Each structure stands twice: as C-alpha cells, then as structure tokens.
Amino acid sequence: MALARLNGVAVRGIVSALPARVEDTTDLAVRFGEDAARRLATATGIHARHRVAPDQCTSDLAVPAAQALLRGLGWPADSVDLLVFVSQTHDQVLPATACLVQRRLGLPKTAAAFDLSLGCSGYVYGLWAAGSALATLLPRADCRPARALLLVGDTTTRLLDPDDRAVAPLFGDAAAATALEIDPAAAAMTIDLGTDGAGAPYLMAAGGAMRAPDQLARLFMDGTQVFAFTLREVPAAIAATLAAAGWSPADVDRFVLHQANEMMIRRLGQKIGATEDKLVLALARHGNTSSASVPLALTDAMAGMLKAGPARVLLSGFGVGWSWATAAATLGPLAVCETLVLPP
C-alpha cells in the first residue's frame, strides 16, 4: 500500500451533474422481462440510471458542473491554477480532455491541465494528485491562495451492450467538479492507494484503442471476480487508512464507498465496522457512475451535513484496474454542495 498525508489543502465545494435522460426498471423490463428486471433491481439496489445522449461526452457533464461550482464560490475563471480531469471515457484519443475543458471554461493559459485515466478509484486518486500538485505551486503574484479544479466523470453507458444483463442494469453516467484551495489551517487528509493489474481482464473495454482499434468498445465485467477482489483488498486498505489517520470506525461520521451495488456496500460496511446509520447509500436513482460515484454520493446524500460541517468522512473507491484508493478527510463547511440535472 502507498500511504500519503496531504496537508494544507482544503475542499471548498463540490457540484455533481447528471444528464437529463433516465432509464428505469420499466425500460429494462422491455429487454429482459418484468420478473428479471425486478430481480436485478432488488439484488443491486439500483432502480434507475441517468444516461447521456448519443452525442454527449464526459466533458459535456463536467463543464456545467465546474461552471456552477465557480459561480457558487465566486471564483473567477482566471483564479484557477490547476485542472485535473479524471475519466476512462475521454472525449477523444488525443488531445487530453483537460486541454479541451481548459478552453471551454475560460481558464488562463497559465493553468496546468492534465488527464488521469482511472475509473472507480478515480475520485480519491484525483484528490491526491490534484492536492499534491497544488501544494507544490509557488505563491501567486497577487497573493491569492492557489486553486485547483478536480473534474471526474464517466459516460460508461456508451460502452454498454444494452442486452448484456451483467452490466446494462448497473451503470449510469455522471460527472463532478471539486474545488480545492491552499489553506494552511485545513485538516490533513490521509490517503491510501493500491493497484493490482492482475485484475484487468475481469473488468475492461478492450476495443477501440491502440491494441484493438477495429474492435467495438464494449464493457465486460465478471461480477464474481469484482466482488471477490473488493472483499479481499478494500477492508484492509480502509483499516490502514483509519490507523494512519488515528481514527477508529466510531470517529467517522459517514462512510462513502464506491456505489457499485447495495449488497456489496453492505457487506463491506460489515467488514469495516461501519454502522448502518453511517453507511451512505446513494445509488438507487443513479446506479454505478464509476469515477463520479463518490462525489455524487457526497452531493446527493450529504449536502446538508457538508454545508454545515465539519464532518469526518471515509471515502473509498475501488474497481477497474484493479485499482483502489481510500481517504480519511474532514470536509466542510462547504460553500457549495449540490447535484444538478442538466437540461436535455
């Protein structure tokens, strides 16, 4: 495991964005039959998912989220020094989507911008990468604290075979924007990161890139292997993060785990000592939104608590890669914390 401590970086706000189109159990019943659709919803806890239109990309969700966040915070676009874009469904093979988003947001040419290609672990990895990079920047000439935007999101439904019941009922689309700012008084974040590439074949979209350019990009998932990996690796990572932070499970106000499916979250909760009242479940109307699932759970289920703040949260993302990342962080009060449904 790679343990890190991030000092002097504060989260100021989070905005999540969902596309307008919604697919629910009724739509699945047309393809799989009513009984199968009902059983799938009961087993996973997922009853609806937001889906992008055929011409929508991840940046089309992330940009409105970032614009709403900047407005809510009163941050001019030219005050942002760093943009980190985390996704596995980039707009194009190249250039980096971060470069496209920098222009669309009107960020200054002096801003650093780069992509990270990560899925379910991406939000916590992004907090570490963006926060660590932000902390190395020299003081600004105008004496304003250095600022960063962390954008995460995936349009996984564009990779789905609509008739594959292993993935079609599970995944939705979303993006989220998080504002970070240098603040010497900010509580430290303790972060644990891990990787096991041996799990790559069990959750992947092999086509459409350089190794198989003529093959259609379709998501494949072996759910049994995903579940086994999660229970094997994630509890130990969470325990290590809590220990390094000097926290016990009782010290945590909310456990915000990757929103993959309800049964998995509850099993993990039991293994890590999270009481049911502290375990966030925010997937019933959104499904598994990959890199956006953790921030979407924060804005959807914890907005009131985070605006009032401070709150001690345990954030953990895990999945495709295999890749996992956990953070013990004290968040709030946040000036902005909301979920937007974008117009069609």
Side-chain angles (χ1 to χ4, degrees), residues 266-280:
R266 290 190 183 279
R267 283 287 301 277
L268 269 178
Q270 293 169 358
K271 291 183 75 70
I272 64 177
T275 57
E276 189 165 336
D277 60 313
K278 293 185 177 183
L279 195 62
V280 172

Side-chain angles (χ1 to χ4, degrees), residues 7 11 22 33 42 46 58-59 75 78 94 120 128 153 161 164-165 169 184 186 213 215 258 281-282 295 310-311 313:
N7 294 302
V11 174
V22 176
T42 300
I46 298 169
T58 305
S59 70
W75 285 11
D78 64 4
L94 55 89
C120 314
W128 169 70
D161 176 347
D164 183 351
R165 66 181 64 195
Q215 181 180 333
H258 171 50
L281 289 168
V313 295

Side-chain angles (χ1 to χ4, degrees), residues 27 34 48 51 118 134 160 189 215 249 259 302 306 315 319 343:
D27 299 294
E34 289 187 14
R51 299 192 59 165
L118 288 165
L134 188 65
L160 302 182
M189 295 186 203
Q215 181 180 333
Q259 304 287 295
M302 290 188 60
L306 293 176
L315 313 176

Side-chain angles (χ1 to χ4, degrees), residues 73-93:
L73 292 172
W75 285 11
D78 64 4
S79 74
V80 177
D81 304 287
L82 171 66
L83 170 68
V84 178
F85 186 88
V86 182
S87 181
Q88 289 192 138
T89 53
H90 304 279
D91 287 23
Q92 297 164 330
V93 173

Side-chain angles (χ1 to χ4, degrees), residues 7-278:
N7 294 302
V9 176
V11 174
R12 298 304 192 199
I14 309 171
V15 173
S16 300
L18 297 160
R21 179 184 171 196
V22 176
E23 182 182 78
D24 60 18
T25 307
T26 303
D27 299 294
L28 293 179
V30 174
R31 300 201 298 274
F32 304 137
E34 289 187 14
D35 289 344
R38 192 179 302 110
R39 286 196 302 272
L40 287 166
T42 300
T44 62
I46 298 169
H47 299 271
R49 296 148 305 282
H50 288 257
R51 299 192 59 165
V52 291
D55 61 345
Q56 275 184 307
C57 294
T58 305
S59 70
D60 298 323
L61 306 180
V63 166
Q67 290 170 331
L69 181 58
L70 292 174
R71 284 195 304 270
L73 292 172
W75 285 11
D78 64 4
S79 74
V80 177
D81 304 287
L82 171 66
L83 170 68
V84 178
F85 186 88
V86 182
S87 181
Q88 289 192 138
T89 53
H90 304 279
D91 287 23
Q92 297 164 330
V93 173
L94 55 89
T97 306
C99 297
L100 306 177
V101 171
Q102 176 269 340
R103 186 173 186 273
R104 290 175 66 179
L105 290 176
L107 303 187
K109 291 190 288 184
T110 54
F114 61 90
D115 284 3
L116 289 177
S117 184
L118 288 165
C120 314
S121 65
Y123 184 66
V124 178
Y125 256 99
L127 284 175
W128 169 70
S132 299
L134 188 65
T136 68
L137 296 182
L138 295 176
R140 292 169 54 104
D142 60 6
C143 299
R144 179 182 288 159
R147 292 170 172 172
L149 286 177
L150 168 61
L151 307 184
V152 302
D154 284 287
T155 50
T156 309
T157 65
R158 296 188 62 177
L159 302 177
L160 302 182
D161 176 347
D163 296 320
D164 183 351
R165 66 181 64 195
V167 292
L170 302 180
F171 288 90
D173 302 322
T178 300
L180 304 173
E181 187 174 48
I182 291 296
D183 181 353
M189 295 186 203
T190 302
I191 299 173
D192 174 73
L193 310 166
T195 313
D196 179 5
Y202 303 116
L203 182 52
M204 71 185 318
M210 298 300 101
R211 195 164 295 282
D214 299 323
Q215 181 180 333
L216 185 64
R218 284 295 192 215
L219 184 67
F220 165 79
M221 183 177 73
D222 184 328
T224 301
Q225 291 290 340
V226 173
F227 198 85
F229 145 72
T230 301
L231 296 183
R232 182 175 66 248
E233 300 290 354
V234 177
I238 290 174
T241 306
L242 290 174
W247 294 4
S248 72
D251 295 322
V252 178
D253 293 310
R254 292 292 184 273
F255 292 83
V256 186
L257 310 180
H258 171 50
Q259 304 287 295
N261 74 63
E262 184 174 341
M263 181 174 66
M264 181 185 292
I265 294 170
R266 290 190 183 279
R267 283 287 301 277
L268 269 178
Q270 293 169 358
K271 291 183 75 70
I272 64 177
T275 57
E276 189 165 336
D277 60 313
K278 293 185 177 183

